[in-house]
Structure formats: structure tokens, C-alpha cells
Amino acid sequence: MRRWVAASLVAGGAMAAEAAPDSSLRPAQRPGLFEDGGQGEGIQLAAATAQRPAARPADYKPLKPELAAADLNFQGWIMAFRNRAIAQGVSAPVLDSAFSGVSYDAEVIRRDRNQSEFTKTIWDYLDSAASDLRVKNGKAALQAQRARLDQIEAAYGVEKEIVVAIWGLESSYGTFRGKMDVVRSLATLAFDGRRGAFFEGQLVAALKILQAGDVAARKMTGSWAGAMGHTQFIPTSYLDYAVDFTGDGKRDIWSDNPADALASTAAYLNKFGWVKGQPWGLEVSLPEGFDYTLADREIEKPPSEWAALGVKGLDGRPVAGHGPAAILLPAGSAGAAFMIFENFAVLERYNTADAYVIGVGHLADRIKGGTPIQGNWPRGDRALTLSEREEMQQRLTRAGFDTDGIDGKIGPKTIGAVRAFQVAKGLTPDGYASLQLLQKLR
């Protein structure tokens, strides 16, 4: 769901209104966000000790009868969680303040249960991610924050346009940072238990942020899943990578001033190996008769070797030697082709979805003055539904092309299985998981 919101003034620079996402223009959650084996694992259980309630009964707002039972259980969970949090260094006063008046949030669970798997085609996603309006607003945001962004780029070696593009996709340049109570959301998700270990780890991290004094409990707001601020940091990432760039003693990613959030994003990318001056990727043209089995993330060659195989930039010249590169075909042989470099993998640390990474990189290029993507897209195709993606994996596996599990995610293993099937059937081996391919499997 999207909302139309009027964009705010960013340091005095007015931006046009654009469709701001409910939490971010993010096709998939960040790495590990929904993995039970994530950073929430290994939480130690403390011996039960008597504790007073985290919130006084008078603090609670009346709940509808159907929610009363869930909230009663939720309050019991909070009592048990207190012991675990205290064992991990969270103080009782911080817990009292954080959970004052906090009740079970059924809306968070509804959103968790009804997440739409990324069913947009990549071209539909990119049409929004790098729309003319988003590019215009990005240029305005960069101009408004140019002096600070220049300082951030000098400090962390990450181009300002990349930082601004992440800002644009995560919160529409700060116009929608999320208004949900992060403690309440994370506690509800941890209590729910479906990915309880991960979310309890995030909740403990959020409480440690409160304990450090960076933000007050009720001002720690964000998305329903706990992503916070201008560039939507989850609490553990905040603890590990957020910086106090303004020097006021707080790492404030929530306020109208985006300086700390933008610097924190640059610090994050720097930590994971961003190479200044190296493109995330470049759109390229492939020669007639190109061997599509080479379009594999595991196959990297210097641009000069790709040029020897006929792969050129859109200007017809060999791509400059920016380091080892792979060929990416996000929509198969009928779509645009990209030569991607190590910085692509760095952006994946922010979000693993190819569509997101291409969206950030392309938006940054457009903000810098680049042109729209030139290649065609198979716009007559539609995205596969979750059940169709699972069916494809099942049919591939039964046919002897292992997808390494049935999860509905079109990752490297599934792409490899698709390519192997295509080779076996004499089809163009581009690894594209299309409806037409599913029909052939049927």
C-alpha cells in the first residue's frame, strides 16, 4: 500500500510531492530480517525473579474484547522478557519507561501475515524507483544537503548520489520515516513467535539504544517491522554502524535533520567495502549470439575480456577497467543487460533484492545526470505469484533440476536450475523464471 503525501522542506529546499511508500520502496526485507538464524539467536534466559509490571494497569488503553486475551498473554510475555533483557544489560528503569502503556498491536501481526511477496516486475519497480519525479526530488534533496553530503562523502568515501538514492527509496527523502512505536512493534513480533528469536534480538537492541540516550522511547518510531529513521536502519544495524556526524552526542536518525542518518548509511556501506569511483553497474549491449550461460553472478571477468566477447557499453566502447564484473539479466534475454561490479554486492548488504540494488544504483545515476535505462523490457510478461514460484521450484526439482528447497524465492539456485532446464530443452539459457517457462514445465 502506498500513500500520497506532501513532501516536506529539506533544509529549506522544497521538493515536489511524490508517492511515499508505507515504510520504504523496498521489494524485500533487508538481509536476515526474517531469518530465525539471525542476530536474535542465542538469547540467554535468566532465572525468573519477581518484577513489578512493565506498565501500570491505568496506563493501558481499553482494548476490543477480541484483543483482550491476546494482550493479557502479551503482558505475561513482557514480564518474562524483562528477565532476559536485564540479563543482557538493559536496566529496569529503561524497561519501565519503554513498556509504559505498551499493548499488543494486532495491526503489526496483520501486516506480517499479509506481506505481499515481491510480485511486481522489475520494470514496474524501476519505473517507480527512478521515476522522473523521484529523480527531481532527489536532485533537490542533494542540493539542499550538498555541503553536509560533501563532508560525508569525504569522510566515508561513498558517493553522495548513492546515499541520496538510498534515502529516496527508503523514506522518499525523509517524507515518510514511519510513525509506529518501534518497541511496541518489535515486542508484538517477538511475542508472536513466528520469527521470535530475530525480533527479540532487535527489541533488545532497541532498548539498548534507549539506554544510551539517543532517543526517547515514544519518539523511537519507524516501520511496522522496526526499521527506523530516514534510511530505515534496524536496531542491530544502528548499534553497529550508526554515527553521530553532527557531534551533538546523539546518533539521531529520527529528527528532521537527516545528517546522522545519511552519514550512518555511508558508514555502513564503507564498512562493507564500498569502492569509491567504481560503478555499482553499467547497462551494456550484448552481441548477437551471446552465450547466455555466461550471464551468471559466479562468472566474473575483467571488462576487457567481456569486450573481447562483444559485450560493450551503450556507447559502443569497451567498459572501463573497474575490476572484475559479472553480467546480470534481471529479465532474461528480452530485457536490459548490466555489467555489475563489487559495489553491487556492497549494496546487497543493505537489501538482497536485485531490483532494489538496481533501483538504488540507477536512481543515483539519474540524480547525477544519467539517462533512463535504454534496453527494452518484456512488458507483456507479468510477475509470478508466490504459489507459481513454488510450483516452478517443485516441477524443476521433480524434473531433476535441484532448486535447493521450495521457498518461492528466485535466488541463485533456482536461476541455475532454470538455466539447466533451458539448456536441456534447447531454450535460450538466460535463467529467467517466466510464466512461459512455468507453462513448459507443466
Short mmCIF file of all heavy atoms in Angstrom, two decimals, residues 26 29-34 39 182 186 198-199 202 205-206 209 223 225-229 231-242 253-254 268 349-350:
data_model
loop_
_atom_site.label_atom_id
_atom_site.label_comp_id
_atom_site.label_asym_id
_atom_site.label_seq_id
_atom_site.Cartn_x
_atom_site.Cartn_y
_atom_site.Cartn_z
N ARG A 26 10.89 -0.79 -0.82
CA ARG A 26 11.79 -1.92 -0.65
C ARG A 26 11.07 -3.18 -1.07
O ARG A 26 10.07 -3.56 -0.49
CB ARG A 26 12.18 -2.01 0.82
CG ARG A 26 13.13 -3.12 1.14
CD ARG A 26 13.37 -3.20 2.62
NE ARG A 26 13.96 -1.97 3.10
CZ ARG A 26 13.72 -1.47 4.31
NH1 ARG A 26 12.91 -2.07 5.13
NH2 ARG A 26 14.31 -0.38 4.69
N GLN A 29 12.70 -7.53 2.39
CA GLN A 29 13.30 -7.04 3.62
C GLN A 29 14.81 -7.17 3.56
O GLN A 29 15.38 -7.88 2.76
CB GLN A 29 12.76 -7.82 4.81
CG GLN A 29 11.27 -7.63 5.01
CD GLN A 29 10.89 -6.23 5.39
OE1 GLN A 29 11.72 -5.47 5.85
NE2 GLN A 29 9.64 -5.89 5.23
N ARG A 30 15.47 -6.45 4.46
CA ARG A 30 16.92 -6.49 4.50
C ARG A 30 17.46 -7.86 4.81
O ARG A 30 16.78 -8.68 5.39
CB ARG A 30 17.42 -5.50 5.55
CG ARG A 30 17.18 -4.09 5.09
CD ARG A 30 17.83 -3.11 6.02
NE ARG A 30 17.46 -1.78 5.58
CZ ARG A 30 17.23 -0.77 6.39
NH1 ARG A 30 17.36 -0.93 7.66
NH2 ARG A 30 16.88 0.38 5.92
N PRO A 31 18.74 -8.08 4.50
CA PRO A 31 19.32 -9.40 4.78
C PRO A 31 19.10 -9.83 6.22
O PRO A 31 19.39 -9.09 7.14
CB PRO A 31 20.81 -9.18 4.48
CG PRO A 31 20.84 -8.05 3.51
CD PRO A 31 19.67 -7.18 3.88
N GLY A 32 18.60 -11.03 6.39
CA GLY A 32 18.45 -11.59 7.72
C GLY A 32 17.23 -11.15 8.47
O GLY A 32 16.96 -11.64 9.56
N LEU A 33 16.48 -10.20 7.91
CA LEU A 33 15.39 -9.62 8.69
C LEU A 33 14.36 -10.66 9.09
O LEU A 33 13.80 -10.59 10.16
CB LEU A 33 14.71 -8.51 7.89
CG LEU A 33 13.63 -7.72 8.63
CD1 LEU A 33 14.19 -7.11 9.89
CD2 LEU A 33 13.06 -6.63 7.74
N PHE A 34 14.12 -11.66 8.22
CA PHE A 34 13.12 -12.64 8.55
C PHE A 34 13.73 -14.03 8.68
O PHE A 34 13.11 -15.03 8.41
CB PHE A 34 12.02 -12.65 7.49
CG PHE A 34 11.25 -11.37 7.46
CD1 PHE A 34 10.92 -10.78 6.26
CD2 PHE A 34 10.88 -10.74 8.63
CE1 PHE A 34 10.21 -9.61 6.23
CE2 PHE A 34 10.18 -9.56 8.61
CZ PHE A 34 9.85 -8.99 7.40
N GLN A 39 20.43 -12.36 14.03
CA GLN A 39 21.15 -11.87 15.18
C GLN A 39 20.39 -12.05 16.49
O GLN A 39 20.92 -11.79 17.55
CB GLN A 39 21.46 -10.39 14.96
CG GLN A 39 22.43 -10.19 13.81
CD GLN A 39 22.51 -8.74 13.40
OE1 GLN A 39 21.54 -8.00 13.48
NE2 GLN A 39 23.67 -8.31 12.96
N VAL A 182 8.30 1.66 17.78
CA VAL A 182 9.21 0.56 17.47
C VAL A 182 9.22 -0.48 18.58
O VAL A 182 9.21 -1.70 18.32
CB VAL A 182 10.63 1.08 17.19
CG1 VAL A 182 11.65 -0.05 17.19
CG2 VAL A 182 10.66 1.81 15.84
N LEU A 186 8.16 -4.30 17.74
CA LEU A 186 9.11 -5.40 17.91
C LEU A 186 8.68 -6.36 19.00
O LEU A 186 8.85 -7.58 18.87
CB LEU A 186 10.51 -4.84 18.20
CG LEU A 186 11.18 -4.10 17.04
CD1 LEU A 186 12.50 -3.48 17.51
CD2 LEU A 186 11.41 -5.03 15.86
N PHE A 198 14.68 -13.61 16.16
CA PHE A 198 15.21 -12.44 15.48
C PHE A 198 14.63 -11.15 16.07
O PHE A 198 15.36 -10.21 16.40
CB PHE A 198 14.92 -12.49 13.98
CG PHE A 198 15.31 -11.21 13.28
CD1 PHE A 198 16.63 -10.97 12.96
CD2 PHE A 198 14.36 -10.25 12.99
CE1 PHE A 198 17.00 -9.78 12.36
CE2 PHE A 198 14.71 -9.07 12.38
CZ PHE A 198 16.04 -8.82 12.06
N PHE A 199 13.31 -11.10 16.20
CA PHE A 199 12.69 -9.86 16.65
C PHE A 199 13.00 -9.58 18.12
O PHE A 199 13.08 -8.42 18.52
CB PHE A 199 11.19 -9.88 16.39
CG PHE A 199 10.86 -9.61 14.94
CD1 PHE A 199 10.26 -10.59 14.15
CD2 PHE A 199 11.17 -8.40 14.36
CE1 PHE A 199 9.98 -10.35 12.82
CE2 PHE A 199 10.89 -8.15 13.03
CZ PHE A 199 10.29 -9.13 12.25
N GLN A 202 16.22 -7.84 18.03
CA GLN A 202 16.04 -6.44 17.61
C GLN A 202 15.45 -5.61 18.76
O GLN A 202 15.82 -4.45 18.94
CB GLN A 202 15.13 -6.37 16.39
CG GLN A 202 15.72 -6.99 15.14
CD GLN A 202 17.06 -6.38 14.74
OE1 GLN A 202 17.23 -5.16 14.79
NE2 GLN A 202 18.00 -7.22 14.36
N ALA A 205 18.15 -4.77 21.20
CA ALA A 205 18.98 -3.71 20.62
C ALA A 205 18.28 -2.36 20.72
O ALA A 205 18.91 -1.34 21.03
CB ALA A 205 19.31 -4.04 19.16
N ALA A 206 16.97 -2.33 20.45
CA ALA A 206 16.22 -1.08 20.56
C ALA A 206 16.27 -0.53 21.98
O ALA A 206 16.43 0.68 22.20
CB ALA A 206 14.78 -1.29 20.12
N ILE A 209 19.50 1.11 22.63
CA ILE A 209 19.53 2.45 22.03
C ILE A 209 18.88 3.45 22.99
O ILE A 209 19.40 4.56 23.22
CB ILE A 209 18.81 2.45 20.67
CG1 ILE A 209 19.57 1.58 19.66
CG2 ILE A 209 18.65 3.88 20.14
CD1 ILE A 209 18.79 1.30 18.39
N SER A 223 8.94 1.75 10.92
CA SER A 223 8.01 0.90 10.19
C SER A 223 7.44 -0.16 11.12
O SER A 223 7.91 -0.36 12.24
CB SER A 223 8.72 0.22 9.02
OG SER A 223 9.55 -0.84 9.50
N ALA A 225 7.87 -3.20 11.03
CA ALA A 225 8.85 -4.25 11.32
C ALA A 225 10.07 -3.73 12.04
O ALA A 225 11.04 -4.46 12.22
CB ALA A 225 9.27 -4.95 10.03
N GLY A 226 10.06 -2.46 12.46
CA GLY A 226 11.13 -1.93 13.29
C GLY A 226 12.24 -1.21 12.58
O GLY A 226 13.23 -0.83 13.21
N ALA A 227 12.12 -0.96 11.27
CA ALA A 227 13.13 -0.18 10.56
C ALA A 227 12.89 1.30 10.87
O ALA A 227 11.76 1.77 10.88
CB ALA A 227 13.05 -0.42 9.07
N MET A 228 13.99 2.04 11.10
CA MET A 228 13.85 3.37 11.71
C MET A 228 14.56 4.46 10.91
O MET A 228 15.61 4.23 10.32
CB MET A 228 14.46 3.34 13.12
CG MET A 228 13.98 2.22 14.01
SD MET A 228 14.80 2.19 15.64
CE MET A 228 16.52 1.90 15.18
N GLY A 229 13.99 5.64 10.97
CA GLY A 229 14.67 6.83 10.51
C GLY A 229 14.66 7.04 9.01
O GLY A 229 14.00 6.36 8.24
N THR A 231 16.80 6.48 6.70
CA THR A 231 17.29 5.41 5.82
C THR A 231 16.98 4.03 6.38
O THR A 231 17.58 3.04 5.97
CB THR A 231 18.79 5.57 5.55
OG1 THR A 231 19.49 5.68 6.78
CG2 THR A 231 19.06 6.82 4.70
N GLN A 232 16.03 3.95 7.31
CA GLN A 232 15.41 2.71 7.76
C GLN A 232 16.41 1.66 8.27
O GLN A 232 16.48 0.55 7.78
CB GLN A 232 14.54 2.14 6.64
CG GLN A 232 13.37 3.04 6.26
CD GLN A 232 12.28 3.08 7.32
OE1 GLN A 232 11.47 2.17 7.43
NE2 GLN A 232 12.26 4.14 8.12
N PHE A 233 17.15 2.06 9.30
CA PHE A 233 18.05 1.13 9.98
C PHE A 233 17.25 0.24 10.92
O PHE A 233 16.36 0.72 11.64
CB PHE A 233 19.07 1.91 10.81
CG PHE A 233 20.37 2.19 10.11
CD1 PHE A 233 20.40 2.63 8.80
CD2 PHE A 233 21.57 2.02 10.77
CE1 PHE A 233 21.60 2.89 8.16
CE2 PHE A 233 22.78 2.28 10.14
CZ PHE A 233 22.79 2.71 8.83
N ILE A 234 17.57 -1.05 10.96
CA ILE A 234 17.04 -1.90 12.01
C ILE A 234 17.91 -1.69 13.24
O ILE A 234 19.07 -1.25 13.14
CB ILE A 234 16.97 -3.38 11.60
CG1 ILE A 234 18.34 -3.91 11.21
CG2 ILE A 234 15.96 -3.56 10.48
CD1 ILE A 234 18.35 -5.42 10.93
N PRO A 235 17.41 -1.98 14.46
CA PRO A 235 18.15 -1.63 15.68
C PRO A 235 19.55 -2.20 15.76
O PRO A 235 20.48 -1.51 16.20
CB PRO A 235 17.24 -2.15 16.79
CG PRO A 235 15.86 -2.01 16.22
CD PRO A 235 16.01 -2.38 14.78
N THR A 236 19.76 -3.48 15.38
CA THR A 236 21.11 -4.03 15.48
C THR A 236 22.07 -3.33 14.53
O THR A 236 23.23 -3.09 14.87
CB THR A 236 21.11 -5.54 15.21
OG1 THR A 236 20.39 -5.80 14.00
CG2 THR A 236 20.47 -6.31 16.36
N SER A 237 21.61 -2.98 13.34
CA SER A 237 22.46 -2.23 12.41
C SER A 237 22.76 -0.85 12.96
O SER A 237 23.88 -0.33 12.80
CB SER A 237 21.79 -2.12 11.04
OG SER A 237 21.71 -3.38 10.42
N TYR A 238 21.78 -0.25 13.61
CA TYR A 238 22.00 1.05 14.24
C TYR A 238 23.12 0.94 15.28
O TYR A 238 24.06 1.76 15.29
CB TYR A 238 20.71 1.54 14.89
CG TYR A 238 20.86 2.82 15.69
CD1 TYR A 238 20.49 4.04 15.14
CD2 TYR A 238 21.37 2.80 16.98
CE1 TYR A 238 20.63 5.22 15.86
CE2 TYR A 238 21.51 3.97 17.71
CZ TYR A 238 21.15 5.17 17.14
OH TYR A 238 21.31 6.34 17.87
N LEU A 239 23.03 -0.04 16.15
CA LEU A 239 24.05 -0.18 17.19
C LEU A 239 25.44 -0.37 16.60
O LEU A 239 26.43 0.16 17.12
CB LEU A 239 23.72 -1.36 18.11
CG LEU A 239 22.57 -1.18 19.09
CD1 LEU A 239 22.39 -2.45 19.92
CD2 LEU A 239 22.79 0.03 20.02
N ASP A 240 25.52 -1.11 15.50
CA ASP A 240 26.82 -1.43 14.92
C ASP A 240 27.38 -0.34 14.03
O ASP A 240 28.61 -0.19 13.94
CB ASP A 240 26.72 -2.72 14.11
CG ASP A 240 26.53 -3.95 14.98
OD1 ASP A 240 26.83 -3.89 16.18
OD2 ASP A 240 26.05 -4.98 14.45
N TYR A 241 26.52 0.43 13.35
CA TYR A 241 27.02 1.30 12.29
C TYR A 241 26.59 2.76 12.36
O TYR A 241 27.17 3.59 11.65
CB TYR A 241 26.60 0.74 10.92
CG TYR A 241 27.00 -0.69 10.74
CD1 TYR A 241 26.03 -1.71 10.71
CD2 TYR A 241 28.33 -1.06 10.62
CE1 TYR A 241 26.39 -3.03 10.56
CE2 TYR A 241 28.70 -2.39 10.48
CZ TYR A 241 27.72 -3.37 10.45
OH TYR A 241 28.08 -4.68 10.31
N ALA A 242 25.59 3.10 13.14
CA ALA A 242 25.13 4.50 13.18
C ALA A 242 26.21 5.39 13.78
O ALA A 242 26.98 4.97 14.66
CB ALA A 242 23.85 4.61 13.99
N ILE A 253 18.83 9.50 14.06
CA ILE A 253 18.37 9.21 12.70
C ILE A 253 16.88 9.51 12.52
O ILE A 253 16.34 9.31 11.44
CB ILE A 253 18.65 7.74 12.32
CG1 ILE A 253 17.84 6.78 13.19
CG2 ILE A 253 20.15 7.44 12.41
CD1 ILE A 253 17.94 5.31 12.78
N TRP A 254 16.23 10.00 13.59
CA TRP A 254 14.78 10.20 13.57
C TRP A 254 14.37 11.65 13.31
O TRP A 254 13.26 11.88 12.84
CB TRP A 254 14.18 9.76 14.91
CG TRP A 254 14.39 8.32 15.23
CD1 TRP A 254 13.58 7.27 14.89
CD2 TRP A 254 15.49 7.75 15.94
NE1 TRP A 254 14.11 6.09 15.35
CE2 TRP A 254 15.28 6.35 16.00
CE3 TRP A 254 16.64 8.28 16.55
CZ2 TRP A 254 16.16 5.49 16.62
CZ3 TRP A 254 17.53 7.42 17.16
CH2 TRP A 254 17.29 6.03 17.20
N TYR A 268 27.90 2.60 6.90
CA TYR A 268 27.50 1.21 6.71
C TYR A 268 28.11 0.66 5.42
O TYR A 268 28.72 -0.42 5.40
CB TYR A 268 25.98 1.13 6.68
CG TYR A 268 25.40 -0.25 6.52
CD1 TYR A 268 24.99 -0.98 7.62
CD2 TYR A 268 25.23 -0.83 5.26
CE1 TYR A 268 24.44 -2.25 7.50
CE2 TYR A 268 24.69 -2.09 5.12
CZ TYR A 268 24.29 -2.79 6.24
OH TYR A 268 23.75 -4.05 6.09
N ARG A 349 24.19 -5.71 0.78
CA ARG A 349 24.20 -5.80 2.24
C ARG A 349 23.08 -4.96 2.84
O ARG A 349 22.64 -5.22 3.96
CB ARG A 349 25.56 -5.34 2.80
CG ARG A 349 26.74 -6.18 2.36
CD ARG A 349 26.57 -7.64 2.74
NE ARG A 349 26.48 -7.84 4.17
CZ ARG A 349 27.44 -8.38 4.92
NH1 ARG A 349 28.58 -8.76 4.37
NH2 ARG A 349 27.28 -8.54 6.22
N TYR A 350 22.64 -3.95 2.11
CA TYR A 350 21.51 -3.13 2.57
C TYR A 350 20.19 -3.83 2.27
O TYR A 350 19.24 -3.74 3.04
CB TYR A 350 21.55 -1.76 1.88
CG TYR A 350 21.15 -0.61 2.78
CD1 TYR A 350 22.09 0.02 3.58
CD2 TYR A 350 19.84 -0.18 2.84
CE1 TYR A 350 21.73 1.07 4.41
CE2 TYR A 350 19.47 0.86 3.66
CZ TYR A 350 20.41 1.49 4.45
OH TYR A 350 20.04 2.51 5.28
#
